[in-house]
Amino acid sequence: MSEIDLPESHPRYQSLLTRHRIEDGVDRGITSRQGLIAEGRGEAFDYLLGERTIPSADDAARAAAALLLLADRPVLSVNGNVAALVPEETVDLAAAVDADIEVNLFNRTDERMRAIVTHLRERGADEAGVAVRGLDADARIPGLDHERAKVDADGIGGADVVVVPLEDGDRAEALAAMGKSEVVIDLNPLSRSAQAVTVPIVDNVLRAVPNVADHARDLSGASQTELEAILRAFDADAALEAAEDAIRSGELD
Amino acid sequence: MSEIDLPESHPRYQSLLTRHRIEDGVDRGITSRQGLIAEGRGEAFDYLLGERTIPSADDAARAAAALLLLADRPVLSVNGNVAALVPEETVDLAAAVDADIEVNLFNRTDERMRAIVTHLRERGADEAGVAVRGLDADARIPGLDHERAKVDADGIGGADVVVVPLEDGDRAEALAAMGKSEVVIDLNPLSRSAQAVTVPIVDNVLRAVPNVADHARDLSGASQTELEAILRAFDADAALEAAEDAIRSGELD
């Protein structure tokens, strides 16, 4: 990777790459002020986790892959930080599980929506034939403020499984109330969004999104029965507890 | 306080006030991108601490007050986040311990320097007769990059005690190497800056700066012997350990 001038073996590689991508996202009008603050919160939790994918998060990533492969209409929801941090990785995951992508912002403006849609198209979505939705905004999620409720009828509106990385609690709960199954990627195991969903992955999006894609490719030959067994064996509460334990016992330095 | 339309008793009052002040800081050209990310990291640690001043942090605030009252030339170093979050509180502390303020930025630009100096003067420094330094930049801290090394000869350059809230590790270590006593306010007990200094206060600047000022007023009649006894009784390592314990055992929700 030539984005930053450091070998991947550098101990601060991942954190410096993250910082670089977020700064670049601000320059492109993709990342918001709230997104920068959220990035900082994530950094602190990741530091406490030891900046690694813990075993329970890897189990969750495998369950998420199974859920996505079982889905009829999976959609990956993308906000400003996800677009800045893992654009190619998100497109790759969408291709691996045959999902659409939908841009959905907490602070929605037409300008940011268009900047992010363009960014994702340029970072591989057009080439991979992955649909990037979000500009139609012709459906609403019940129970949310007007701007936050906007979704595409053909995207999140009609989806049965939604991946909502770095999502806020209200929206995760409102989507769950619509009967949708959700995968959340969130570094805080006791956030409301992590608590509300079918499969919470307590991990950095930089590690989690490619990891779910890897599991999906690994499971591409599995039968429906096998996928259902993987999903059934996944215990969300136990995974959140394991993540909390890892944070409590992690090295604070 | 009428800055935000919420009673102080609201459970999210402090966090919403912080968010409001930081956003306002961005609008004024005071808070940087790095400052927004740092704010998020602080939010996560404060959340783990329970958003409260733990007893060991209160002890540290009292020791910091004693150190400042014993100082010949105390200086409060202010960066973009401190200026945005606690401008009046910093001026009040400077007045209480007869200190100067010096603006010192990680990402130093003339424009931001001037915006922050003006902000502090307007937020009470001129009225209180507190000097706001940093624009002279006629001395250097040995061992730091050119821009980061700049200080005022009459300010931090000649100070015997420096308060460096939200400081980075390199600068805290370089100031310690110059033989200066330092007070750091940092929510991560194992940050290099917290480890490097005489009095680390593991607390939110919103709570810690007014708390040190309160202790200073409380101790204003104390003798030098009494102040020295308070300082001697403070154990920095034990305070950091207590803060780490509080973070480990805090409620993650």
Side-chain angles (χ1 to χ4, degrees):
Chain A
M1 178 150 325
S2 61
E3 267 180 82
I4 56 173
D5 195 19
L6 275 179
E8 288 195 32
S9 60
H10 188 286
R12 305 296 301 149
Y13 177 80
Q14 188 174 287
S15 119
L16 294 169
L17 177 64
T18 303
R19 196 65 67 82
H20 166 79
R21 288 188 182 178
I22 281 281
E23 294 266 343
D24 188 54
V26 174
D27 289 335
R28 292 170 188 270
I30 287 174
T31 306
S32 68
R33 290 175 190 180
Q34 293 305 331
L36 289 172
I37 296 175
E39 167 60 25
R41 280 195 302 272
E43 279 184 16
F45 281 110
D46 202 18
Y47 171 80
L48 292 168
L49 265 182
E51 296 180 346
R52 70 202 158 101
T53 298
I54 59 175
S56 60
D58 188 53
D59 290 345
R62 193 163 182 86
L67 181 63
L68 285 163
L69 291 170
L70 286 166
D72 289 320
R73 297 177 62 184
V75 173
L76 315 184
S77 179
V78 167
N79 66 13
N81 278 23
V82 173
L85 290 173
V86 282
E88 283 152 2
E89 294 84 346
T90 300
V91 168
D92 183 54
L93 173 59
V97 299
D98 199 15
D100 290 351
I101 289 174
E102 179 165 334
V103 180
N104 206 284
L105 304 181
F106 192 87
N107 296 301
R108 186 186 180 105
T109 67
D110 282 349
E111 199 181 348
R112 275 186 72 219
M113 289 293 297
R114 278 193 301 267
I116 295 173
V117 167
T118 303
H119 182 63
L120 291 166
R121 287 187 173 147
E122 289 173 358
R123 298 299 281 272
D126 280 354
E127 198 179 333
V130 169
V132 181
R133 304 186 183 278
L135 297 176
D136 291 348
D138 52 355
R140 298 289 177 272
I141 304 171
L144 292 180
D145 292 343
H146 184 68
E147 284 302 307
R148 304 254 28 243
K150 288 182 176 173
V151 289
D152 280 17
D154 284 346
I156 291 172
D160 56 344
V161 174
V162 187
V163 179
V164 280
L166 315 180
E167 188 53 82
D168 78 302
D170 284 346
R171 194 144 176 282
E173 285 172 359
L175 288 168
M178 289 177 81
K180 297 181 193 300
S181 298
E182 287 174 273
V183 175
V184 155
I185 305 171
D186 191 318
L187 279 156
N188 179 356
L190 291 193
S191 72
R192 279 195 300 135
S193 40
Q195 304 266 312
V197 304
T198 317
V199 181
I201 306 176
V202 182
D203 203 2
N204 191 318
V205 287
L206 242 79
R207 298 186 299 266
V209 174
N211 196 24
V212 176
D214 285 348
H215 280 297
R217 275 185 286 262
D218 187 46
L219 293 171
S220 61
S223 68
Q224 181 164 338
T225 312
E226 288 170 304
L227 295 173
E228 285 169 352
I230 288 169
L231 196 55
R232 212 166 34 239
F234 175 72
D235 182 337
D237 290 335
L240 293 172
E241 226 167 273
E244 187 180 347
D245 283 351
I247 284 174
R248 298 281 183 215
S249 62
E251 283 306 311
L252 262 182
D253 60 8
Chain B
M1 179 149 321
S2 62
E3 265 179 84
I4 57 173
D5 196 20
L6 274 180
E8 288 194 34
S9 60
H10 188 285
R12 305 296 301 151
Y13 177 80
Q14 187 175 287
S15 119
L16 293 168
L17 177 64
T18 303
R19 199 63 69 82
H20 166 79
R21 289 188 182 178
I22 281 281
E23 294 267 343
D24 188 55
V26 174
D27 289 335
R28 291 170 189 270
I30 287 175
T31 306
S32 67
R33 290 176 192 181
Q34 292 304 332
L36 289 172
I37 296 175
E39 166 60 25
R41 281 196 301 272
E43 279 183 17
F45 281 111
D46 202 18
Y47 172 80
L48 293 169
L49 265 183
E51 297 180 345
R52 69 202 159 100
T53 298
I54 59 174
S56 60
D58 188 52
D59 291 345
R62 194 165 181 85
L67 180 64
L68 285 163
L69 291 169
L70 286 166
D72 289 321
R73 296 177 62 183
V75 173
L76 315 183
S77 180
V78 166
N79 66 13
N81 278 21
V82 173
L85 290 172
V86 282
E88 283 151 4
E89 294 84 347
T90 300
V91 168
D92 183 55
L93 173 58
V97 299
D98 198 16
D100 290 352
I101 289 174
E102 178 165 334
V103 179
N104 206 284
L105 304 181
F106 192 87
N107 296 302
R108 186 185 181 108
T109 67
D110 282 350
E111 200 181 348
R112 275 186 73 218
M113 288 295 296
R114 279 192 302 267
I116 295 173
V117 167
T118 303
H119 183 63
L120 291 166
R121 287 186 174 148
E122 289 173 358
R123 298 301 281 273
D126 280 356
E127 199 179 333
V130 169
V132 181
R133 304 186 183 279
L135 296 176
D136 290 347
D138 51 355
R140 298 289 178 270
I141 305 170
L144 292 180
D145 291 344
H146 184 68
E147 284 302 306
R148 304 255 28 243
K150 288 182 177 174
V151 288
D152 280 17
D154 285 344
I156 291 173
D160 56 344
V161 174
V162 187
V163 179
V164 280
L166 316 179
E167 187 54 82
D168 78 301
D170 285 345
R171 194 144 175 281
E173 286 173 358
L175 288 169
M178 287 178 83
K180 298 182 193 300
S181 297
E182 286 175 273
V183 175
V184 155
I185 304 171
D186 191 318
L187 279 156
N188 178 356
L190 291 193
S191 72
R192 279 195 301 135
S193 39
Q195 304 267 311
V197 303
T198 317
V199 181
I201 305 175
V202 182
D203 203 1
N204 190 318
V205 287
L206 242 79
R207 299 186 299 266
V209 174
N211 196 25
V212 177
D214 285 347
H215 280 297
R217 274 186 286 262
D218 188 47
L219 293 172
S220 61
S223 67
Q224 180 163 339
T225 313
E226 289 170 304
L227 296 173
E228 284 168 353
I230 289 168
L231 197 55
R232 212 166 32 239
F234 175 73
D235 181 337
D237 291 335
L240 293 172
E241 227 167 272
E244 188 180 348
D245 283 350
I247 284 174
R248 298 281 184 215
S249 62
E251 282 308 310
L252 261 183
D253 59 12

